[in-house]
Amino acid sequence: MKIRILAGAVALVSSVVLSGCGYLPGAGADRSTVTVWLMKGSASEDFVDRFKKSYEAEHPSVELEFIIQEWGGIGPKVLKAIEGDDAPDVIEVGNTQVAQYAESGELRDLTLESMRDLGGEDWLPGLAEPGKVNGGQYGIPWYAANRVVIYNKDLFAQAGITELPRTREEWVDISEKLDTAGRQGIYLAGQNWYVLAGFIWDEGGELADDSGGDWQGALDSPAALRGMDFYKTLQALGSGPRDADEQSPPETDVFAGGKVAQIISVPGSAALIEQRNPGLKGKLGYFPIPGKSANKPGAVFTGGSDLIVPEAADHRGEGIDVVKALAGEKWQTELARAMSYVPNKPVLAHVVEGQEGTSAMAEGAAEGRATPNSPHWPAVEADNPIKPYMTAVLEGGDPAVEAKKASDRITSKLITG
């Protein structure tokens, strides 16, 4: 699953093939063309070119062919490809999409490689967990991105705030102080369910529970209700709409007006804010979403990508070797620095030191999670019952009653798809 705003903040890459296909003249009949599908916006053309040149120099028998795909409609396209006779050798997919592809039985189980070659026990949980299906590791974590708090340094200074909050309690206190004199302490749309998910996880709750493969909505658990209660408290410290998500209107446009002290978004949103209001350039700061205690940041939804290898790929072994390179330390470092991403292991977070927004994102990523690992979860998001539930509670509805209704709808979707 992608965080939608991220695509606007990273360099776009061409939608055409980035390298030629076929054999190179004089390369010999045993030279293999390994086809890799990457998603538009995930890696710059410069990164892809450098990886291709380096990899082919180290593997003379391999030529890499990169094909860039659009996110729109990618699900059916990937399913058709992995079930066909001409499957790519490597495919980049959203981290929460792995389960639906693995359900087809057409993916290579990469558990051995993850343990033996890639140090899979150290991956970010928000990337690794959705890549694991029925005990097998089918998705290899590639990169992560998650939300942080973006704040207006001038408004913080005017309010006399000199230390950033490390706990929820401190966060609410400073947001209350900022929510005065025509300012909004925080702009939080009423249906930002990704943010709600983090608050629910902090309380020990879940969006849905898995009981031996039988998924059930869990918004009505006491823990999940506590998460919604905190969301309601925070949302009231600004003028975000109760009946819309963060794109209606775009929260970056609202923040660019200069009267909002904080939003919760990915660091890449800063570029959109500064484009809208150049006067805010150099005046934006970042901190991880605070947790219940100062010992660790709050839980966040982890967006990003995993790499999969179709079982029917013509060059499956070579494809696995490409995955190992892309997911290994050298190219993780290169990708994180080039694209301001979080690397796939917390131990690599130091490679983005000096990038204030990315560093805050990496700190939060250690507490990252993903949506329920059911192949039918996309059906939940397609007709999302969490959003109207949030609106109902924010407008005064009984939280327990509204949560039960939403949980029942989630259960139904997870059963029928």
Side-chain angles (χ1 to χ4, degrees):
M1 176 176 295
K2 304 299 291 181
I3 297 179
R4 286 174 292 174
I5 200 70
L6 183 64
V10 299
L12 294 181
V13 291
S14 172
S15 61
V16 298
V17 177
L18 292 179
S19 70
C21 59
Y23 298 116
L24 291 181
D30 59 345
R31 187 175 176 89
S32 301
T33 299
V34 176
T35 303
V36 182
W37 283 12
L38 296 184
M39 302 308 302
K40 185 175 181 179
S42 287
S44 66
E45 188 171 354
D46 175 68
F47 172 87
V48 173
D49 286 344
R50 286 189 292 111
F51 178 82
K52 173 180 167 62
K53 182 177 179 180
S54 174
Y55 191 88
E56 290 179 350
E58 294 174 2
H59 302 80
S61 63
V62 171
E63 180 186 7
L64 297 181
E65 177 191 29
F66 286 93
I67 300 178
I68 306 304
Q69 303 290 345
E70 299 282 348
W71 282 105
I74 191 60
K77 189 170 186 177
V78 169
L79 285 171
K80 182 178 179 180
I82 63 178
E83 293 172 354
D85 297 328
D86 190 27
D89 302 295
V90 179
I91 306 175
E92 175 199 351
V93 300
N95 59 323
T96 59
Q97 296 174 336
V98 177
Q100 65 175 311
Y101 302 139
E103 187 185 39
S104 71
E106 301 293 342
L107 297 189
R108 177 70 171 178
D109 185 342
L110 301 173
T111 303
L112 175 61
E113 290 80 5
S114 69
M115 297 174 63
R116 181 188 63 197
D117 305 318
L118 292 170
E121 67 276 5
D122 299 323
W123 283 329
L124 290 171
L127 291 179
E129 290 172 2
K132 182 176 290 186
V133 181
N134 296 325
Q137 192 74 44
Y138 292 91
I140 300 300
W142 194 28
Y143 68 83
N146 50 267
R147 289 165 175 79
V148 299
V149 182
I150 302 177
Y151 70 97
N152 184 316
K153 292 180 179 179
D154 281 355
L155 296 186
F156 270 54
Q158 291 167 18
I161 298 169
T162 58
E163 293 188 9
L164 298 176
R166 300 290 297 177
T167 67
R168 279 189 184 179
E169 184 178 3
E170 293 172 355
W171 192 20
V172 169
D173 286 346
I174 70 161
S175 297
E176 288 176 339
K177 185 181 294 188
L178 289 160
D179 193 39
T180 59
R183 298 188 302 248
Q184 296 186 53
I186 186 168
Y187 180 87
L188 181 58
Q191 296 183 350
N192 196 330
W193 69 276
Y194 291 119
V195 173
L196 172 63
F199 298 159
I200 289 174
W201 292 329
D202 272 344
E203 295 290 348
E206 300 287 348
L207 301 178
D209 286 321
D210 178 16
S211 178
D214 293 327
W215 286 92
Q216 293 186 324
L219 294 176
D220 54 335
S221 73
L225 289 170
R226 290 195 299 271
M228 183 64 220
D229 185 62
F230 179 71
Y231 190 100
K232 184 176 183 180
T233 297
L234 196 64
Q235 202 270 339
L237 300 176
S239 302
R242 295 172 179 173
D243 60 350
D245 65 18
E246 63 276 18
Q247 293 298 315
S248 303
E251 61 186 356
T252 51
D253 288 357
V254 178
F255 189 90
K259 298 297 184 180
V260 172
Q262 307 169 86
I263 58 171
I264 302 172
S265 188
V266 294
S269 294
L272 301 179
I273 293 166
E274 292 171 354
Q275 181 180 3
R276 186 83 172 181
N277 182 357
L280 288 176
K281 187 165 292 188
K283 298 181 179 181
L284 304 182
Y286 315 82
F287 57 88
I289 294 174
K292 296 186 71 174
S293 72
N295 296 329
K296 62 181 182 180
V300 290
F301 166 75
T302 301
S305 286
D306 283 12
L307 300 170
I308 60 174
V309 175
E311 190 72 69
D314 288 338
H315 302 292
R316 192 178 64 204
E318 291 91 339
I320 291 172
D321 287 339
V322 171
V323 169
K324 291 178 187 177
L326 286 169
E329 181 174 349
K330 172 179 169 55
W331 291 102
Q332 280 292 292
T333 299
E334 294 282 343
L335 184 67
R337 288 174 174 167
M339 306 302 295
S340 297
Y341 289 148
V342 178
N344 61 13
K345 293 181 180 179
V347 71
L348 296 177
H350 66 89
V351 305
V352 292
E353 287 178 358
Q355 298 180 19
E356 185 182 356
T358 311
S359 293
M361 189 164 61
E363 186 176 346
E367 300 301 321
R369 298 277 300 277
T371 49
N373 199 16
S374 162
H376 298 307
W377 184 257
V380 176
E381 292 193 28
D383 184 24
N384 197 328
I386 306 175
K387 290 185 173 185
Y389 154 64
M390 297 172 71
T391 295
V393 173
L394 294 175
E395 291 182 343
D398 185 298
V401 172
E402 298 299 336
K404 182 63 168 62
K405 285 192 238 180
S407 293
D408 289 344
R409 286 185 60 198
I410 290 173
T411 300
S412 176
K413 292 289 185 182
L414 292 176
I415 291 173
T416 62

